[in-house]
Amino acid sequence: MHLNKEFPHLVSYARFVALIPRMLIPLLAYLQRRFGPCTGISFIDSTSLEVCDAKRISQHRVFAIDAKRGKTSMGWFFGFKLHLAVNDRGELLACCLTPGNVDDRTPVPHLVNNLHGKLFGDRGYISGPLSKLLFEQGLQLITRLRKNMKNQLMHLSDKLLLRKRAIIETIIDQLKNISQIEHSRHRSPVNFVVHVIAGLLAYSHRAKKPGLHLDERALLAA
């Protein structure tokens, strides 16, 4: 194999797969250390993690109990949702996995429990009770309004930051296409979670992350 001399004690592929579950707890602990600081400006979103093609759901066995049917703006899928919170520097602040049928708003109070300032999300996070709960936690939830909702006064800087919400969509795109956190070849639920965590860690080590590089002048000029 390539580079065998540099790694003389490299285990076989079968042994490597068998050892993966042992890394779950250490990787989780390390991921916590890799989270960035809350800057007072945070963005939240979720993405689907499809575990098999929709045509093969009835034949799927690995995630038959844990995975669920869910729906995104792109359509129906079978699998899980990865919920993310990031800061304006493109650094991860928090994350969690849920079955695909869980409402995006459900894990938010726990997900952003340690954040403060302003939290920007899409229309899927609109909820009076959720906004009130987060406000009591010291966090202001800001979203765009639905078409059937009355217009509300909003600070200019908040409107400008809402336009910058694409930063988290860019991060999700990198997680899927560069870190490759989504594929349909998992052999066990534990290995699936380890794979996702490893992808998040790989992203956290990227030297250049999507960032807004905010300062007062840039924000006013946006």
Side-chain angles (χ1 to χ4, degrees):
M1 289 178 62
H2 185 55
L3 297 179
N4 264 2
K5 294 182 180 179
E6 284 73 13
F7 301 93
H9 304 294
L10 193 65
V11 298
S12 66
Y13 175 75
R15 181 58 179 161
F16 175 79
V17 172
L19 290 173
I20 287 177
R22 298 186 184 184
M23 299 306 300
L24 177 58
I25 302 303
L27 286 177
L28 274 174
Y30 186 42
L31 180 60
Q32 292 285 333
R33 296 290 298 271
R34 294 297 304 172
F35 285 157
C38 178
T39 61
I41 298 175
S42 308
F43 299 86
I44 191 170
D45 203 355
S46 69
T47 186
S48 61
L49 295 180
E50 196 170 0
V51 296
C52 77
D53 187 88
K55 298 178 182 178
R56 299 187 177 89
I57 294 176
S58 60
Q59 305 170 5
H60 191 77
R61 295 290 178 268
V62 177
F63 300 101
I65 297 177
D66 302 310
K68 300 296 180 182
R69 291 176 185 262
K71 189 177 183 180
T72 67
S73 58
M74 302 300 292
W76 290 92
F77 71 97
F78 180 74
F80 301 87
K81 281 184 180 180
L82 175 64
H83 305 263
L84 292 172
V86 304
N87 61 21
D88 57 287
R89 304 172 188 171
E91 298 170 322
L92 301 176
L93 297 176
C95 63
C96 73
L97 274 172
T98 65
N101 62 347
V102 173
D103 189 289
D104 287 348
R105 294 166 291 190
T106 301
V108 172
H110 173 72
L111 184 68
V112 301
N113 186 47
N114 296 320
L115 304 186
H116 63 271
K118 297 182 179 181
L119 179 67
F120 296 87
D122 60 22
R123 294 182 179 92
Y125 294 96
I126 294 176
S127 169
L130 177 60
S131 297
K132 182 179 179 181
L133 179 60
L134 295 181
F135 186 77
E136 293 173 352
Q137 295 179 192
L139 194 60
Q140 182 184 1
L141 177 62
I142 301 173
T143 65
R144 289 182 178 177
L145 300 178
R146 295 194 180 101
K147 293 182 180 179
N148 61 349
M149 297 176 68
K150 293 182 179 180
N151 193 20
Q152 297 179 358
L153 292 176
M154 184 182 297
H155 196 279
L156 177 60
S157 61
D158 293 341
K159 289 184 178 181
L160 295 175
L161 285 170
L162 269 176
R163 297 176 186 175
K164 303 293 185 179
R165 203 190 62 80
I167 180 177
I168 193 168
E169 296 173 358
T170 302
I171 291 171
I172 288 173
D173 181 71
Q174 291 191 6
L175 287 171
K176 287 191 170 184
N177 295 302
I178 299 178
S179 297
Q180 299 182 354
I181 62 172
E182 182 183 41
H183 70 74
S184 58
R185 303 180 302 278
H186 295 292
R187 298 182 180 181
S188 78
V190 174
N191 287 10
F192 160 71
V193 175
V194 171
H195 179 82
V196 173
I197 295 173
L200 293 171
L201 282 169
Y203 170 80
S204 74
H205 280 280
R206 289 181 62 83
K208 293 184 179 180
K209 300 181 179 67
L212 302 185
H213 309 291
L214 293 176
D215 58 45
E216 188 174 352
R217 292 182 180 179
L219 190 58
L220 292 174

